PDB file of all heavy atoms in Angstrom:
ATOM      1  N   LEU A 158      99.056  89.301 105.398  1.00 98.00           N
ATOM      2  CA  LEU A 158      99.918  90.463 105.668  1.00 98.00           C
ATOM      3  C   LEU A 158      99.148  91.441 106.591  1.00 98.00           C
ATOM      4  O   LEU A 158      98.003  91.774 106.305  1.00 98.00           O
ATOM      5  CB  LEU A 158     100.261  91.158 104.350  1.00 98.00           C
ATOM      6  CG  LEU A 158     101.079  92.420 104.454  1.00 98.00           C
ATOM      7  CD1 LEU A 158     102.505  92.141 104.893  1.00 98.00           C
ATOM      8  CD2 LEU A 158     101.075  93.178 103.117  1.00 98.00           C
ATOM      9  N   LEU A 159      99.799  91.904 107.645  1.00 98.00           N
ATOM     10  CA  LEU A 159      99.232  92.917 108.541  1.00 98.00           C
ATOM     11  C   LEU A 159      99.790  94.264 108.115  1.00 98.00           C
ATOM     12  O   LEU A 159     100.987  94.424 107.943  1.00 98.00           O
ATOM     13  CB  LEU A 159      99.667  92.587 109.973  1.00 98.00           C
ATOM     14  CG  LEU A 159      99.388  93.661 111.035  1.00 98.00           C
ATOM     15  CD1 LEU A 159      97.887  93.930 111.212  1.00 98.00           C
ATOM     16  CD2 LEU A 159      99.988  93.220 112.362  1.00 98.00           C
ATOM     17  N   THR A 160      98.900  95.252 107.905  1.00 98.00           N
ATOM     18  CA  THR A 160      99.315  96.592 107.587  1.00 98.00           C
ATOM     19  C   THR A 160      98.694  97.569 108.571  1.00 98.00           C
ATOM     20  O   THR A 160      97.576  97.360 109.043  1.00 98.00           O
ATOM     21  CB  THR A 160      98.875  97.014 106.137  1.00 98.00           C
ATOM     22  OG1 THR A 160      97.453  97.072 106.070  1.00 98.00           O
ATOM     23  CG2 THR A 160      99.400  96.062 105.121  1.00 98.00           C
ATOM     24  N   VAL A 161      99.418  98.668 108.894  1.00 97.00           N
ATOM     25  CA  VAL A 161      98.860  99.716 109.738  1.00 97.00           C
ATOM     26  C   VAL A 161      99.114 101.057 109.063  1.00 97.00           C
ATOM     27  O   VAL A 161     100.090 101.250 108.346  1.00 97.00           O
ATOM     28  CB  VAL A 161      99.464  99.712 111.153  1.00 97.00           C
ATOM     29  CG1 VAL A 161      99.041  98.466 111.904  1.00 97.00           C
ATOM     30  CG2 VAL A 161     100.945  99.846 111.173  1.00 97.00           C
ATOM     31  N   SER A 162      98.187 102.002 109.296  1.00 96.00           N
ATOM     32  CA  SER A 162      98.182 103.231 108.570  1.00 96.00           C
ATOM     33  C   SER A 162      97.825 104.437 109.423  1.00 96.00           C
ATOM     34  O   SER A 162      97.225 104.307 110.476  1.00 96.00           O
ATOM     35  CB  SER A 162      97.213 103.108 107.383  1.00 96.00           C
ATOM     36  OG  SER A 162      96.972 104.349 106.765  1.00 96.00           O
ATOM     37  N   LEU A 163      98.180 105.596 108.897  1.00 95.00           N
ATOM     38  CA  LEU A 163      97.777 106.857 109.551  1.00 95.00           C
ATOM     39  C   LEU A 163      96.250 107.075 109.439  1.00 95.00           C
ATOM     40  O   LEU A 163      95.737 108.002 110.058  1.00 95.00           O
ATOM     41  CB  LEU A 163      98.550 108.048 108.927  1.00 95.00           C
ATOM     42  CG  LEU A 163     100.052 108.021 109.099  1.00 95.00           C
ATOM     43  CD1 LEU A 163     100.680 109.259 108.455  1.00 95.00           C
ATOM     44  CD2 LEU A 163     100.418 107.915 110.555  1.00 95.00           C
ATOM     45  N   ASP A 164      95.545 106.249 108.662  1.00 96.00           N
ATOM     46  CA  ASP A 164      94.064 106.369 108.574  1.00 96.00           C
ATOM     47  C   ASP A 164      93.377 105.721 109.760  1.00 96.00           C
ATOM     48  O   ASP A 164      92.163 105.570 109.762  1.00 96.00           O
ATOM     49  CB  ASP A 164      93.548 105.813 107.261  1.00 96.00           C
ATOM     50  CG  ASP A 164      93.665 104.282 107.105  1.00 96.00           C
ATOM     51  OD1 ASP A 164      94.092 103.639 108.078  1.00 96.00           O
ATOM     52  OD2 ASP A 164      93.393 103.797 106.025  1.00 96.00           O
ATOM     53  N   LYS A 165      94.153 105.323 110.784  1.00 97.00           N
ATOM     54  CA  LYS A 165      93.650 104.790 112.062  1.00 97.00           C
ATOM     55  C   LYS A 165      93.098 103.364 111.935  1.00 97.00           C
ATOM     56  O   LYS A 165      92.244 102.934 112.702  1.00 97.00           O
ATOM     57  CB  LYS A 165      92.574 105.675 112.689  1.00 97.00           C
ATOM     58  CG  LYS A 165      93.040 107.099 112.938  1.00 97.00           C
ATOM     59  CD  LYS A 165      91.940 107.953 113.560  1.00 97.00           C
ATOM     60  CE  LYS A 165      92.386 109.367 113.781  1.00 97.00           C
ATOM     61  NZ  LYS A 165      91.363 110.206 114.358  1.00 97.00           N
ATOM     62  N   THR A 166      93.555 102.625 110.930  1.00 97.00           N
ATOM     63  CA  THR A 166      93.123 101.242 110.783  1.00 97.00           C
ATOM     64  C   THR A 166      94.325 100.285 110.636  1.00 97.00           C
ATOM     65  O   THR A 166      95.381 100.652 110.105  1.00 97.00           O
ATOM     66  CB  THR A 166      92.216 101.037 109.537  1.00 97.00           C
ATOM     67  OG1 THR A 166      92.933 101.325 108.371  1.00 97.00           O
ATOM     68  CG2 THR A 166      90.953 101.890 109.612  1.00 97.00           C
ATOM     69  N   ALA A 167      94.104  99.083 111.135  1.00 97.00           N
ATOM     70  CA  ALA A 167      94.992  97.967 110.889  1.00 97.00           C
ATOM     71  C   ALA A 167      94.196  97.018 109.982  1.00 97.00           C
ATOM     72  O   ALA A 167      93.008  96.815 110.192  1.00 97.00           O
ATOM     73  CB  ALA A 167      95.369  97.260 112.179  1.00 97.00           C
ATOM     74  N   LYS A 168      94.851  96.447 108.983  1.00 97.00           N
ATOM     75  CA  LYS A 168      94.151  95.525 108.077  1.00 97.00           C
ATOM     76  C   LYS A 168      94.949  94.238 107.884  1.00 97.00           C
ATOM     77  O   LYS A 168      96.156  94.246 107.845  1.00 97.00           O
ATOM     78  CB  LYS A 168      93.910  96.211 106.727  1.00 97.00           C
ATOM     79  CG  LYS A 168      92.975  97.397 106.844  1.00 97.00           C
ATOM     80  CD  LYS A 168      92.442  97.847 105.533  1.00 97.00           C
ATOM     81  CE  LYS A 168      91.471  99.014 105.733  1.00 97.00           C
ATOM     82  NZ  LYS A 168      90.796  99.401 104.492  1.00 97.00           N
ATOM     83  N   LEU A 169      94.198  93.147 107.756  1.00 97.00           N
ATOM     84  CA  LEU A 169      94.778  91.857 107.409  1.00 97.00           C
ATOM     85  C   LEU A 169      94.484  91.650 105.930  1.00 97.00           C
ATOM     86  O   LEU A 169      93.316  91.681 105.534  1.00 97.00           O
ATOM     87  CB  LEU A 169      94.218  90.739 108.253  1.00 97.00           C
ATOM     88  CG  LEU A 169      94.404  90.853 109.757  1.00 97.00           C
ATOM     89  CD1 LEU A 169      93.766  89.692 110.496  1.00 97.00           C
ATOM     90  CD2 LEU A 169      95.878  90.912 110.112  1.00 97.00           C
ATOM     91  N   VAL A 170      95.520  91.464 105.152  1.00 97.00           N
ATOM     92  CA  VAL A 170      95.372  91.384 103.691  1.00 97.00           C
ATOM     93  C   VAL A 170      95.873  90.048 103.206  1.00 97.00           C
ATOM     94  O   VAL A 170      96.951  89.583 103.567  1.00 97.00           O
ATOM     95  CB  VAL A 170      96.222  92.485 103.037  1.00 97.00           C
ATOM     96  CG1 VAL A 170      96.109  92.441 101.509  1.00 97.00           C
ATOM     97  CG2 VAL A 170      95.789  93.891 103.518  1.00 97.00           C
ATOM     98  N   ASN A 171      95.042  89.402 102.380  1.00 97.00           N
ATOM     99  CA  ASN A 171      95.466  88.169 101.734  1.00 97.00           C
ATOM    100  C   ASN A 171      96.205  88.558 100.448  1.00 97.00           C
ATOM    101  O   ASN A 171      95.625  89.128  99.506  1.00 97.00           O
ATOM    102  CB  ASN A 171      94.252  87.294 101.390  1.00 97.00           C
ATOM    103  CG  ASN A 171      94.673  85.949 100.802  1.00 97.00           C
ATOM    104  OD1 ASN A 171      95.385  85.894  99.806  1.00 97.00           O
ATOM    105  ND2 ASN A 171      94.216  84.862 101.413  1.00 97.00           N
ATOM    106  N   VAL A 172      97.519  88.257 100.400  1.00 96.00           N
ATOM    107  CA  VAL A 172      98.326  88.691  99.231  1.00 96.00           C
ATOM    108  C   VAL A 172      98.143  87.822  98.004  1.00 96.00           C
ATOM    109  O   VAL A 172      98.588  88.223  96.948  1.00 96.00           O
ATOM    110  CB  VAL A 172      99.830  88.794  99.630  1.00 96.00           C
ATOM    111  CG1 VAL A 172     100.085  89.838 100.673  1.00 96.00           C
ATOM    112  CG2 VAL A 172     100.400  87.446 100.053  1.00 96.00           C
ATOM    113  N   HIS A 173      97.425  86.697  98.145  1.00 95.00           N
ATOM    114  CA  HIS A 173      97.100  85.899  96.939  1.00 95.00           C
ATOM    115  C   HIS A 173      95.840  86.373  96.259  1.00 95.00           C
ATOM    116  O   HIS A 173      95.796  86.531  95.061  1.00 95.00           O
ATOM    117  CB  HIS A 173      96.935  84.384  97.323  1.00 95.00           C
ATOM    118  CG  HIS A 173      98.267  83.688  97.555  1.00 95.00           C
ATOM    119  ND1 HIS A 173      99.318  83.817  96.713  1.00 95.00           N
ATOM    120  CD2 HIS A 173      98.649  82.865  98.511  1.00 95.00           C
ATOM    121  CE1 HIS A 173     100.317  83.082  97.138  1.00 95.00           C
ATOM    122  NE2 HIS A 173      99.920  82.499  98.238  1.00 95.00           N
ATOM    123  N   SER A 174      94.816  86.667  97.067  1.00 95.00           N
ATOM    124  CA  SER A 174      93.558  87.158  96.497  1.00 95.00           C
ATOM    125  C   SER A 174      93.519  88.678  96.377  1.00 95.00           C
ATOM    126  O   SER A 174      92.553  89.223  95.802  1.00 95.00           O
ATOM    127  CB  SER A 174      92.386  86.640  97.339  1.00 95.00           C
ATOM    128  OG  SER A 174      92.420  87.201  98.644  1.00 95.00           O
ATOM    129  N   ASP A 175      94.489  89.378  96.973  1.00 94.00           N
ATOM    130  CA  ASP A 175      94.589  90.837  96.918  1.00 94.00           C
ATOM    131  C   ASP A 175      93.407  91.533  97.596  1.00 94.00           C
ATOM    132  O   ASP A 175      92.901  92.560  97.137  1.00 94.00           O
ATOM    133  CB  ASP A 175      94.703  91.360  95.457  1.00 94.00           C
ATOM    134  CG  ASP A 175      95.969  90.868  94.822  1.00 94.00           C
ATOM    135  OD1 ASP A 175      96.844  90.284  95.486  1.00 94.00           O
ATOM    136  OD2 ASP A 175      96.097  91.046  93.567  1.00 94.00           O
ATOM    137  N   VAL A 176      92.896  90.951  98.685  1.00 93.00           N
ATOM    138  CA  VAL A 176      91.744  91.459  99.394  1.00 93.00           C
ATOM    139  C   VAL A 176      92.041  91.635 100.871  1.00 93.00           C
ATOM    140  O   VAL A 176      92.695  90.780 101.488  1.00 93.00           O
ATOM    141  CB  VAL A 176      90.507  90.491  99.236  1.00 93.00           C
ATOM    142  CG1 VAL A 176      89.344  90.900 100.068  1.00 93.00           C
ATOM    143  CG2 VAL A 176      90.125  90.392  97.782  1.00 93.00           C
ATOM    144  N   ALA A 177      91.568  92.742 101.448  1.00 94.00           N
ATOM    145  CA  ALA A 177      91.661  92.929 102.883  1.00 94.00           C
ATOM    146  C   ALA A 177      90.544  92.066 103.527  1.00 94.00           C
ATOM    147  O   ALA A 177      89.374  92.243 103.223  1.00 94.00           O
ATOM    148  CB  ALA A 177      91.445  94.359 103.273  1.00 94.00           C
ATOM    149  N   VAL A 178      90.935  91.103 104.358  1.00 95.00           N
ATOM    150  CA  VAL A 178      89.979  90.166 104.920  1.00 95.00           C
ATOM    151  C   VAL A 178      89.455  90.568 106.277  1.00 95.00           C
ATOM    152  O   VAL A 178      88.470  90.034 106.754  1.00 95.00           O
ATOM    153  CB  VAL A 178      90.574  88.744 104.987  1.00 95.00           C
ATOM    154  CG1 VAL A 178      90.867  88.194 103.608  1.00 95.00           C
ATOM    155  CG2 VAL A 178      91.859  88.714 105.850  1.00 95.00           C
ATOM    156  N   ALA A 179      90.103  91.548 106.910  1.00 96.00           N
ATOM    157  CA  ALA A 179      89.636  92.079 108.215  1.00 96.00           C
ATOM    158  C   ALA A 179      90.219  93.452 108.423  1.00 96.00           C
ATOM    159  O   ALA A 179      91.324  93.763 108.007  1.00 96.00           O
ATOM    160  CB  ALA A 179      90.077  91.154 109.336  1.00 96.00           C
ATOM    161  N   THR A 180      89.397  94.315 109.083  1.00 96.00           N
ATOM    162  CA  THR A 180      89.818  95.673 109.382  1.00 96.00           C
ATOM    163  C   THR A 180      89.592  95.953 110.867  1.00 96.00           C
ATOM    164  O   THR A 180      88.552  95.563 111.413  1.00 96.00           O
ATOM    165  CB  THR A 180      88.978  96.703 108.544  1.00 96.00           C
ATOM    166  OG1 THR A 180      89.248  96.452 107.174  1.00 96.00           O
ATOM    167  CG2 THR A 180      89.386  98.132 108.870  1.00 96.00           C
ATOM    168  N   TYR A 181      90.528  96.566 111.482  1.00 97.00           N
ATOM    169  CA  TYR A 181      90.495  96.919 112.923  1.00 97.00           C
ATOM    170  C   TYR A 181      90.630  98.441 113.018  1.00 97.00           C
ATOM    171  O   TYR A 181      91.652  98.997 112.647  1.00 97.00           O
ATOM    172  CB  TYR A 181      91.585  96.246 113.692  1.00 97.00           C
ATOM    173  CG  TYR A 181      91.544  94.744 113.581  1.00 97.00           C
ATOM    174  CD1 TYR A 181      92.061  94.061 112.471  1.00 97.00           C
ATOM    175  CD2 TYR A 181      90.886  93.974 114.552  1.00 97.00           C
ATOM    176  CE1 TYR A 181      91.968  92.688 112.367  1.00 97.00           C
ATOM    177  CE2 TYR A 181      90.819  92.586 114.446  1.00 97.00           C
ATOM    178  CZ  TYR A 181      91.341  91.966 113.331  1.00 97.00           C
ATOM    179  OH  TYR A 181      91.254  90.606 113.204  1.00 97.00           O
ATOM    180  N   SER A 182      89.579  99.133 113.518  1.00 95.00           N
ATOM    181  CA  SER A 182      89.607 100.603 113.630  1.00 95.00           C
ATOM    182  C   SER A 182      90.125 100.991 115.018  1.00 95.00           C
ATOM    183  O   SER A 182      89.796 100.406 116.035  1.00 95.00           O
ATOM    184  CB  SER A 182      88.194 101.139 113.406  1.00 95.00           C
ATOM    185  OG  SER A 182      87.761 100.864 112.114  1.00 95.00           O
ATOM    186  N   CYS A 183      90.920 102.071 115.009  1.00 95.00           N
ATOM    187  CA  CYS A 183      91.483 102.570 116.255  1.00 95.00           C
ATOM    188  C   CYS A 183      91.122 104.064 116.418  1.00 95.00           C
ATOM    189  O   CYS A 183      90.605 104.673 115.470  1.00 95.00           O
ATOM    190  CB  CYS A 183      93.018 102.431 116.250  1.00 95.00           C
ATOM    191  SG  CYS A 183      93.514 100.691 116.039  1.00 95.00           S
ATOM    192  N   ASP A 184      91.402 104.627 117.570  1.00 94.00           N
ATOM    193  CA  ASP A 184      91.101 106.015 117.784  1.00 94.00           C
ATOM    194  C   ASP A 184      92.273 106.960 117.535  1.00 94.00           C
ATOM    195  O   ASP A 184      92.242 108.121 117.844  1.00 94.00           O
ATOM    196  CB  ASP A 184      90.555 106.231 119.208  1.00 94.00           C
ATOM    197  CG  ASP A 184      91.552 105.836 120.297  1.00 94.00           C
ATOM    198  OD1 ASP A 184      92.648 105.355 119.953  1.00 94.00           O
ATOM    199  OD2 ASP A 184      91.214 105.977 121.475  1.00 94.00           O
ATOM    200  N   ALA A 185      93.367 106.431 116.973  1.00 96.00           N
ATOM    201  CA  ALA A 185      94.561 107.235 116.704  1.00 96.00           C
ATOM    202  C   ALA A 185      95.249 106.677 115.472  1.00 96.00           C
ATOM    203  O   ALA A 185      95.092 105.517 115.151  1.00 96.00           O
ATOM    204  CB  ALA A 185      95.496 107.219 117.888  1.00 96.00           C
ATOM    205  N   PRO A 186      96.075 107.498 114.803  1.00 97.00           N
ATOM    206  CA  PRO A 186      96.875 106.993 113.708  1.00 97.00           C
ATOM    207  C   PRO A 186      97.780 105.900 114.189  1.00 97.00           C
ATOM    208  O   PRO A 186      98.307 105.931 115.304  1.00 97.00           O
ATOM    209  CB  PRO A 186      97.697 108.214 113.254  1.00 97.00           C
ATOM    210  CG  PRO A 186      96.925 109.387 113.740  1.00 97.00           C
ATOM    211  CD  PRO A 186      96.251 108.937 115.020  1.00 97.00           C
TER     212      PRO A 186
END
Side-chain angles (χ1 to χ4, degrees):
L158 177 71
L159 170 63
T160 65
V161 294
S162 168
L163 297 181
D164 68 6
K165 303 180 182 180
T166 64
K168 295 195 178 187
L169 299 179
V170 178
N171 184 305
V172 296
H173 283 314
S174 64
D175 297 350
V176 173
V178 294
T180 299
Y181 301 82
S182 297
C183 302
D184 61 357

